[in-house]
Amino acid sequence: MSTAVHTNRLARESSPYLQQHQHNPVDWYPWGPEAFEAARSQNKPIFLSVGYSTCYWCHVMERQCFENESIARVMNEHFINIKVDREERPDVDQLYMTAVQVMTRHGGWPMSVWLTPDLKPFYAGTYFPPEDMHGRPGFPRLLEALAEAWRERKDDVRTQADEMARVLQQMSDPPRPKEALSIDETFIESIVRRSIEDFDPAHGGYGGAPKFPRQTLLEFLLKFCEGEPPHDRDGLELRRTVRDQLVETLDAMARGGIRDHLGGGVPPHSTDRGWLVPHFEIMLYDQAMLALVYAEAYRLFEVPRFARVAREMCDFVLREMTDREGAFYTAFDAEVDAREGGSYLWTAEQVRAVLGDAEGQVFNDVYGLSAGPNFADPHHGTGKPDANVLFLKEWPDEETDARLAPLRQKLLKHRATRKQPLLDTKIITSWNALMIRALGRVGQVLQEDRYMQAAMRAANYILVRHRSADGAILRTSREGQAKHVGTLED
């Protein structure tokens, strides 16, 4: 193995995202007093870069800009450069993301913000390419322009930063409403009716592409379907409509490419309206919130396949995202070797090579491969589909599914021999809390004690390992090292 040419301060950090950048030629600092003092003593502005380990465009900007020696020299000469893992420091992320949205009217990651030495933002954006393109300035040009502004028009820069700080202060302390908000049946019904209007009758789900499960809305609607049935016709019709839309949505997601039909995990959203092509990263909180939703839907509507989906999500987390002491890891990356979804995609020929011609044909027919490729890499290749995301056009009958079960296991075992996406082994208190809640509820509904036991192991880990000496909750840990004061969500 070759020895790294550069190693910066991020090598001392526990975050996998920060460690990804430890060999950049950029002289990165972690967020903290050392960086702030360097900016003050050297009278340099700060370049703040915020991202997370499974962020595709964060990886792209690193490869194009932060690994570039000439760009790094400009960064090191003119700025104090700070890297932040937004999952470790959601407080820092939220503050400066608000600034990005105010300045640019949009947001996203990687987040790029330039600050005065006293941490006030004066310029912001997200991804910047290494060269000028599509009306967007290249990163080197922008660095030089901002360095010149600081050098030649420092007072103007500080005035702009002071004004932005005032705006952020006002937004953080909004005026109180003149009258109390009443959360009554009328208010709740208005939200329900708004969701009905947002329903996609062609594909299920709420809203358009990119399409998100919207787990909190699903849980809200499930709660609406509970309790004594309404006595009036309009109330009965409203509840029936909500139930039908929920079943259609949960069915469409479970059949679609947004669910990993071999491993059981669920990506955060579909890039299309039809739930076919996912954004391939796997986040713990998505598994937690959707497993609970499917378990509750099974309890309310008695649809057996919903129990299976909930069980497969929980089993996936316990199998692939669980620490040896029982806590839960954060996320799987979306890419392998810079190719999004690289480990999850199949061709009909690959399936037949693993399963044989006869069984391979059965599998290909059921999971959509026989109809031809349905996935084109959005960042590489010709733009024409050349591989498949697995999906179900319709649920197979019990006999066919029993035949498919060992085939899925065989393909999953073969898939494990491929190069796998990065697993972020950071443990986050709030995300673990969601998974603990989900496992406890799924265990109750499905009457499976192993899920209850897993929930208790994880809760014990958090209560023991994620507390400071005075009992305060800490946000994250990795390899036994807990750090960062917990936020409200923790």
Side-chain angles (χ1 to χ4, degrees):
M1 294 178 65
S2 60
T3 303
V5 176
H6 304 280
T7 300
N8 56 51
R9 295 168 187 80
L10 301 185
R12 301 194 295 265
E13 295 297 303
S14 60
S15 158
Y17 174 66
L18 298 185
Q19 288 185 353
Q20 286 172 1
H21 294 265
Q22 65 179 303
H23 297 307
N24 295 166
V26 179
D27 187 17
W28 290 115
Y29 288 79
W31 180 266
E34 183 185 6
F36 308 153
E37 177 56 33
R40 286 190 292 267
S41 63
Q42 298 177 41
N43 193 25
K44 287 183 176 181
I46 292 168
F47 169 62
L48 172 65
S49 177
V50 181
Y52 54 104
S53 65
T54 60
C55 165
Y56 178 81
W57 285 103
C58 298
H59 300 329
V60 172
M61 192 165 177
E62 179 189 16
R63 288 190 289 267
Q64 293 180 342
C65 298
F66 303 148
E67 292 179 354
N68 184 297
E69 296 274 358
S70 63
I71 293 177
R73 277 195 294 272
V74 177
M75 295 173 68
N76 296 338
E77 179 181 355
H78 297 296
F79 302 94
I80 298 300
N81 303 288
I82 299 179
K83 257 288 171 201
V84 167
D85 181 339
R86 68 176 293 258
E87 295 165 351
E88 279 194 333
R89 296 301 304 262
D91 51 340
V92 176
D93 176 67
Q94 183 174 354
L95 173 65
Y96 291 110
M97 182 57 75
T98 303
V100 173
Q101 291 169 333
V102 169
M103 291 183 187
T104 69
R105 300 293 186 266
H106 68 272
W109 297 273
M111 176 164 63
S112 304
V113 189
W114 284 263
L115 318 174
T116 60
D118 54 355
L119 307 183
K120 297 175 182 177
F122 63 89
Y123 194 87
T126 53
Y127 162 79
F128 290 98
E131 299 173 348
D132 299 355
M133 60 173 59
H134 308 307
R136 185 192 297 248
F139 193 57
R141 179 193 292 271
L142 186 59
L143 292 171
E144 295 283 6
L146 292 173
E148 180 186 9
W150 180 257
R151 189 170 57 248
E152 305 294 338
R153 301 182 300 281
K154 191 173 299 181
D155 289 344
D156 292 341
V157 172
R158 287 192 179 278
T159 298
Q160 182 173 330
D162 289 342
E163 178 59 30
M164 178 52 59
R166 279 192 291 272
V167 170
L168 294 177
Q169 181 62 44
Q170 290 172 357
M171 295 178 70
S172 70
D173 188 21
R176 289 182 175 274
K178 291 186 173 70
E179 57 187 37
L181 172 67
S182 178
I183 303 179
D184 55 16
E185 288 186 11
T186 301
F187 177 81
I188 290 171
E189 185 176 311
S190 71
I191 298 175
V192 171
R193 291 192 181 279
R194 243 180 293 161
S195 75
I196 289 174
E197 293 171 3
D198 205 24
F199 178 73
D200 179 354
H203 304 285
Y206 301 87
K211 185 172 280 184
F212 290 79
R214 298 175 68 176
Q215 296 96 323
T216 50
L217 173 62
L218 297 178
E219 188 176 344
F220 168 80
L221 294 173
L222 285 166
K223 287 291 183 187
F224 180 77
C225 290
E226 281 200 86
E228 291 294 322
H231 298 295
D232 61 297
R233 180 177 296 179
D234 286 347
L236 286 170
E237 183 62 32
L238 181 62
R239 184 175 288 195
R240 189 180 303 113
T241 299
V242 171
R243 180 207 181 278
D244 291 346
Q245 290 183 353
L246 277 169
V247 171
E248 187 173 343
T249 294
L250 294 174
D251 256 342
M253 289 193 299
R255 293 196 320 271
I258 195 174
R259 184 166 74 95
D260 176 6
H261 291 269
L262 301 184
V266 179
H269 68 269
S270 169
T271 60
D272 60 291
R273 281 182 60 198
W275 303 110
L276 177 61
V277 179
H279 178 47
F280 287 93
E281 65 187 356
I282 300 282
M283 316 298 286
L284 178 64
Y285 56 77
D286 287 313
Q287 320 312 304
M289 292 192 288
L290 270 181
L292 184 137
V293 163
Y294 273 95
E296 293 289 5
Y298 166 69
R299 179 178 65 85
L300 283 176
F301 306 144
E302 298 180 344
V303 179
R305 57 183 173 272
F306 291 168
R308 170 183 157 184
V309 173
R311 185 179 290 110
E312 288 180 357
M313 285 186 206
C314 292
D315 289 347
F316 164 75
V317 171
L318 296 180
R319 184 179 68 245
E320 299 193 32
M321 298 186 75
T322 303
D323 174 78
R324 62 181 178 275
E325 294 185 56
F328 307 116
Y329 296 140
T330 297
F332 277 101
D333 205 338
E335 66 172 38
V336 175
D337 290 336
R339 296 297 178 114
E340 196 167 354
S343 60
Y344 300 103
L345 301 169
W346 294 87
T347 65
E349 294 74 22
Q350 288 172 334
V351 169
R352 284 194 291 269
V354 176
L355 301 179
D357 288 341
E359 301 287 31
Q361 191 61 50
V362 171
F363 188 92
N364 288 341
D365 289 345
V366 173
Y367 283 95
L369 289 87
S370 296
N374 59 24
F375 177 81
D377 191 314
H379 311 294
H380 305 91
T382 64
K384 294 181 179 180
D386 58 5
N388 284 81
V389 177
L390 303 182
F391 77 100
L392 291 169
K393 190 172 183 179
E394 57 187 26
W395 290 105
D397 58 44
E398 288 188 19
E399 182 180 347
T400 304
D401 194 59
R403 184 178 179 184
L404 289 167
L407 306 185
R408 289 193 295 265
Q409 287 301 310
K410 195 170 183 180
L411 288 170
L412 179 63
K413 184 177 180 181
H414 179 83
R415 193 176 77 183
T417 66
R418 298 174 175 177
K419 187 173 182 179
Q420 298 299 301
L422 170 83
L423 173 62
D424 187 326
T425 55
K426 186 168 68 263
I427 293 166
I428 300 176
T429 298
S430 58
W431 299 17
N432 270 253
L434 287 171
M435 197 67 223
I436 290 164
R437 173 185 184 238
L439 285 166
R441 190 60 179 146
V442 173
Q444 282 183 318
V445 171
L446 303 187
Q447 298 184 335
E448 294 203 28
D449 185 64
R450 63 195 180 98
Y451 296 139
M452 305 287 285
Q453 294 297 325
M456 287 190 283
R457 284 190 72 207
N460 187 63
Y461 179 99
I462 297 298
L463 289 170
V464 172
R465 297 298 187 91
H466 277 214
R467 287 208 278 186
S468 61
D470 62 358
I473 287 289
L474 300 175
R475 178 160 178 83
T476 68
S477 69
R478 185 167 179 261
E479 298 176 351
Q481 178 186 353
K483 60 197 301 188
H484 302 304
V485 175
T487 63
L488 177 61
E489 70 175 38
D490 298 304

